[in-house]
Amino acid sequence: MEEQNKKENQILGKQSIAFARPAYIRSYASIVGKKEGDGPLGAHFDQIEEDDKFGQKSWEEAESVLQKRTAELAIQKACMKADDIRLIFAGDLLAQSIASSFGIGGLHRPMYGLFGACSTMGESLALAAMSVCGGFASTALAVTSSHFATAEKEFRFPLGYGNQRPLSASWTVTGSGACVVDTQKSRVKITGVTTGIVTDYGMKDSQNMGACMAPAASGTIRQNLEDFGRKPEDYDRIITGDLGYVGQQILLDLLETEGYRIHKQHDDCGIMIFDREMQDTHAGGSGCGCSAVVLTSYIIPKIACGDWKRVLFVPTGALMSKVSYYEGNSVPGIAQAVVLEREEG
Amino acid sequence: MEEQNKKENQILGKQSIAFARPAYIRSYASIVGKKEGDGPLGAHFDQIEEDDKFGQKSWEEAESVLQKRTAELAIQKACMKADDIRLIFAGDLLAQSIASSFGIGGLHRPMYGLFGACSTMGESLALAAMSVCGGFASTALAVTSSHFATAEKEFRFPLGYGNQRPLSASWTVTGSGACVVDTQKSRVKITGVTTGIVTDYGMKDSQNMGACMAPAASGTIRQNLEDFGRKPEDYDRIITGDLGYVGQQILLDLLETEGYRIHKQHDDCGIMIFDREMQDTHAGGSGCGCSAVVLTSYIIPKIACGDWKRVLFVPTGALMSKVSYYEGNSVPGIAQAVVLEREEG
């Protein structure tokens, strides 16, 4: 299966896949909360919702509505109806992925639920691309979300406690991003993926998730470069999910010790989404929604308009739960990479 | 997959895929706890572990070890090493899928995490088959698990409470099943899948999950028959995941009102795994591990030896969490079907 004259998809190196014919991003949508709308990318989002409850009674219902509304917007921007979506790959951060089950479930389309923590946008996009490139779906939808209030409730403390946050802590993004993927040419194509490996350096601090995830990001990025035979300069940008300021430095250091210097190319969605000085978000943004909304508001348009020709999109996930944390376990990380390129001509 | 000779995978009807060239189950393994070992299928499991803690300190660590050990056994039975596995699809019932992250993560292989509640064996097997049939992986591993004690802690009450269980409640199976899937011929092949749709009839009783999941199972089975143009008699067995006695009756009734009578073909892993009279498990077994261990101890061998030629395997999942339950939400269901056939000759 290594070389087949481009007729077959290629299994590359240790963790990567190169698509024989690329998958295309036909449409994409982003919806965020007020705080995200006030940030540096505010002008780029499709919708900014002032009501953090999205008109619902509970935070979980709010996130479900957010995710469903974003999926519907992406479908609408593709000039499609929900019935035209053949396969949905969706997930979120909540226990048993209820934001997806209750939100996206309402579209009544064939669905595979995912859990990749904050790497879910990479995972869902990779599997959506595989499903259309493999001839398993005419059109696939990749979608994920996070919500500040559901995440605080799920992983930390009830909001009412008003607990203090260390400077290494990140701020969960309220937002959802969705992409409709098929094989019809558009400006932005998915040409390959590098699947993540669970990586555990024994870090235990759930208030420093950037440090927990940096080794996984480092491994996936290095393997992507090796598997595809590329140098960092072959990418206009290498953009991780939500390492934040602390994790970014660790990532750059780790890669440099292995001979890869990506300082010029690297950016991080968690850094891009909030203003460090003005928005008091400490280490940066996080959550499945963080990389999802930066992808669908900023990264894809930058490729579509030709500013960037090739981007490595690397959402990062911290694989933990309340239970694993309280039982004293470490926080392993995973990073799921997707190669995005501009379709020329 | 009625006509071979097709070079491309086929998207069939509303929810199904027929593989141009089938995926094959190269090896499979099952490990269960003591209670499961005492049940009607006891002689069929690869290993029965007497220690419910699997030598660990916590229930969650126990389930992680169970899942990893099962994966390693399946890999060993394929005469492979972990490094030969190109892609892993794994999930479990716990919040943030920690049994998979901490268990399977230890294999250090490229992995996509899933959440499909108790339908996960169907989902992981479907995606593993798609990955090898699409040329995205030489070899894929599908694995899932559940544990009675982690599930009670996660969804119900601490074991020490000794709470009473209604007769409609099921008993979460302590067990894990794993399959190694590739494209080299073996006795049992995966010829197609029918992807599930989240189905919500508004049932709210998490102690009656069979009833919550039966509508989803009914929908997936009906659509499988329609999409593939088959009658119930075209399957030697149609085996759902964990509807149990209550859910089974609802499923049979629902399908009959739609003109499909599957009484002769139907069985349910939740019914098969425990002895109703002797084991006091009320409605039957449940959990991701339930359908996973029945598949890998009984269903696959029955096909391999030629007793059954074609089986529709339909694991069923109840998409709920503690939070959704306490907030008064319904319990939607999903059912992920896989078509298993004997390779003749």
Side-chain angles (χ1 to χ4, degrees):
Chain A
M1 174 101 322
E2 281 348 8
E3 301 121 22
Q4 300 265 356
N5 248 353
K6 291 284 166 202
K7 279 221 168 166
E8 308 255 338
N9 299 303
Q10 289 182 275
I11 300 167
L12 286 186
K14 288 191 183 165
Q15 293 167 233
S16 302
I17 299 161
F19 297 124
R21 285 165 296 181
Y24 290 89
I25 295 178
R26 177 192 274 248
S27 72
Y28 45 97
S30 59
I31 302 181
V32 297
K34 184 169 183 316
K35 186 179 185 86
E36 292 71 23
D38 290 340
L41 300 182
H44 299 278
F45 300 118
D46 288 313
Q47 292 179 17
I48 299 164
E49 172 64 53
E50 297 286 320
D51 172 17
D52 279 344
K53 281 250 172 93
F54 289 73
Q56 304 301 305
K57 281 180 299 179
S58 74
W59 298 118
E60 290 75 20
E61 286 170 0
E63 188 177 340
S64 293
V65 165
L66 162 63
Q67 195 179 127
K68 184 173 179 218
R69 199 194 282 175
T70 310
E72 287 172 333
L73 182 58
I75 294 167
Q76 182 193 318
K77 287 169 82 175
C79 303
M80 288 181 163
K81 293 175 181 161
D83 279 356
D84 299 322
I85 302 297
R86 179 66 195 203
L87 218 43
I88 296 178
F89 293 94
D92 57 85
L93 285 179
L94 302 183
Q96 288 80 39
S97 300
I98 51 172
S100 304
S101 300
F102 287 94
I104 296 301
L107 298 179
H108 305 297
R109 304 302 305 148
M111 167 169 156
Y112 290 119
L114 309 179
F115 180 75
C118 306
S119 75
T120 305
M121 196 67 223
E123 179 177 354
S124 63
L125 206 52
L127 289 170
M130 285 162 64
S131 73
V132 301
C133 290
F136 306 119
S138 47
T139 310
L141 177 81
V143 59
T144 184
S145 65
S146 56
H147 192 297
F148 175 74
T150 59
E152 288 294 306
K153 177 172 161 183
E154 177 75 31
F155 295 104
R156 299 181 187 103
F157 299 97
L159 290 185
Y161 280 20
N163 72 304
Q164 285 203 318
R165 307 156 56 80
L167 288 173
S168 61
S170 53
W171 186 279
T172 305
V173 163
T174 298
S176 172
C179 292
V180 174
V181 176
D182 63 17
T183 54
Q184 289 186 47
K185 271 196 180 184
S186 72
R187 281 292 180 203
V188 182
K189 58 189 174 183
I190 301 168
T191 56
V193 306
T194 300
T195 309
I197 288 180
V198 176
T199 306
D200 189 353
Y201 273 28
M203 301 284 301
K204 293 191 173 187
D205 186 356
S206 73
Q207 299 269 25
N208 187 355
M209 291 196 296
C212 298
M213 298 184 290
S218 162
T220 296
I221 293 168
R222 189 197 61 234
Q223 206 56 49
N224 176 276
L225 297 172
E226 284 185 16
D227 290 350
F228 284 87
R230 289 179 185 154
K231 300 184 294 290
E233 306 84 81
D234 293 327
Y235 290 106
D236 292 298
R237 288 289 186 287
I238 296 172
I239 305 179
T240 45
D242 51 358
L243 297 182
Y245 295 97
V246 178
Q248 179 184 44
Q249 196 52 54
I250 299 172
L251 170 71
L252 297 177
D253 290 350
L254 280 173
L255 280 173
E256 195 153 22
T257 61
E258 305 203 53
Y260 294 100
R261 194 173 164 80
I262 65 161
H263 293 60
K264 273 191 200 155
Q265 291 78 28
H266 185 255
D267 211 335
D268 181 76
C269 300
I271 292 175
M272 297 159 81
I273 196 165
F274 291 125
D275 184 313
R276 191 179 195 179
E277 304 299 320
M278 303 293 288
Q279 292 193 288
D280 192 30
T281 45
H282 297 352
S286 64
C288 301
C290 179
S291 58
V293 302
V294 174
L295 174 75
T296 51
S297 69
Y298 191 74
I299 299 173
I300 294 174
K302 286 288 268 187
I303 301 170
C305 76
D307 284 353
W308 297 337
K309 302 258 186 269
R310 187 191 282 151
V311 170
L312 186 62
F313 176 59
V314 196
T316 40
L319 301 169
M320 59 164 294
S321 76
K322 275 188 302 243
V323 172
S324 71
Y325 177 74
Y326 289 134
E327 288 180 351
N329 282 109
S330 57
V331 181
I334 196 164
Q336 302 287 5
V338 178
V339 180
L340 299 167
E341 298 188 49
R342 179 174 156 83
E343 175 74 34
E344 301 295 346
Chain B
M1 176 71 348
E2 307 317 41
E3 304 115 25
Q4 289 283 354
N5 270 348
K6 302 265 179 187
K7 284 227 166 156
E8 308 258 336
N9 300 304
Q10 288 181 276
I11 299 166
L12 287 187
K14 287 191 181 164
Q15 293 168 234
S16 302
I17 299 162
F19 298 124
R21 286 165 297 180
Y24 290 89
I25 296 178
R26 177 192 273 249
S27 72
Y28 46 96
S30 58
I31 302 181
V32 297
K34 186 172 181 314
K35 189 179 182 89
E36 292 71 22
D38 290 339
L41 299 182
H44 299 278
F45 301 118
D46 288 313
Q47 293 179 16
I48 299 164
E49 172 65 52
E50 295 287 318
D51 172 17
D52 279 345
K53 281 248 171 96
F54 288 74
Q56 304 302 304
K57 282 181 296 180
S58 73
W59 297 119
E60 290 75 19
E61 286 169 2
E63 188 178 338
S64 293
V65 165
L66 162 64
Q67 195 179 127
K68 183 172 180 223
R69 199 193 283 175
T70 310
E72 286 171 335
L73 183 59
I75 293 167
Q76 184 192 317
K77 288 170 82 175
C79 302
M80 288 181 162
K81 292 175 182 161
D83 279 356
D84 299 320
I85 302 296
R86 180 67 196 203
L87 218 44
I88 296 177
F89 293 93
D92 56 85
L93 285 179
L94 302 182
Q96 288 81 37
S97 299
I98 51 171
S100 305
S101 300
F102 287 94
I104 296 302
L107 297 179
H108 305 297
R109 302 305 303 149
M111 168 169 155
Y112 290 118
L114 309 180
F115 180 76
C118 305
S119 74
T120 305
M121 195 68 224
E123 178 177 355
S124 62
L125 206 52
L127 289 170
M130 286 163 63
S131 73
V132 300
C133 290
F136 306 118
S138 47
T139 310
L141 177 80
V143 59
T144 185
S145 65
S146 56
H147 192 297
F148 175 74
T150 60
E152 288 295 305
K153 178 171 162 182
E154 176 75 31
F155 295 104
R156 300 182 187 102
F157 299 98
L159 290 185
Y161 280 18
N163 72 303
Q164 285 204 317
R165 307 156 55 79
L167 288 174
S168 60
S170 51
W171 186 279
T172 305
V173 164
T174 298
S176 172
C179 292
V180 175
V181 176
D182 63 17
T183 54
Q184 290 186 47
K185 271 197 182 183
S186 72
R187 281 293 179 204
V188 181
K189 58 189 174 184
I190 301 168
T191 55
V193 305
T194 300
T195 309
I197 288 179
V198 177
T199 305
D200 189 352
Y201 273 28
M203 300 283 302
K204 293 189 173 188
D205 186 357
S206 72
Q207 300 270 25
N208 188 355
M209 291 197 295
C212 298
M213 298 185 291
S218 163
T220 296
I221 293 169
R222 188 197 62 233
Q223 206 57 49
N224 176 276
L225 296 171
E226 284 184 17
D227 290 350
F228 284 86
R230 289 180 185 152
K231 298 183 293 292
E233 307 83 81
D234 293 328
Y235 290 106
D236 292 298
R237 287 290 185 285
I238 296 173
I239 304 179
T240 46
D242 52 357
L243 297 183
Y245 295 97
V246 179
Q248 179 185 44
Q249 196 52 54
I250 299 171
L251 170 70
L252 297 178
D253 289 350
L254 280 173
L255 280 173
E256 195 155 22
T257 60
E258 305 202 53
Y260 294 100
R261 192 172 165 81
I262 66 161
H263 293 60
K264 273 191 202 156
Q265 291 78 29
H266 185 256
D267 211 336
D268 181 77
C269 300
I271 292 175
M272 297 160 80
I273 196 166
F274 291 125
D275 184 313
R276 192 179 197 180
E277 303 299 320
M278 304 291 289
Q279 293 194 286
D280 193 30
T281 47
H282 296 354
S286 64
C288 302
C290 179
S291 58
V293 301
V294 174
L295 173 75
T296 51
S297 69
Y298 191 74
I299 299 173
I300 294 174
K302 286 288 269 187
I303 299 170
C305 77
D307 284 353
W308 296 337
K309 303 257 186 270
R310 187 190 281 153
V311 170
L312 186 63
F313 175 60
V314 195
T316 39
L319 302 168
M320 58 164 293
S321 76
K322 275 187 300 243
V323 172
S324 71
Y325 176 73
Y326 289 135
E327 288 181 351
N329 282 108
S330 56
V331 181
I334 195 163
Q336 302 287 3
V338 178
V339 181
L340 299 167
E341 297 188 50
R342 179 173 158 84
E343 175 73 33
E344 301 294 346

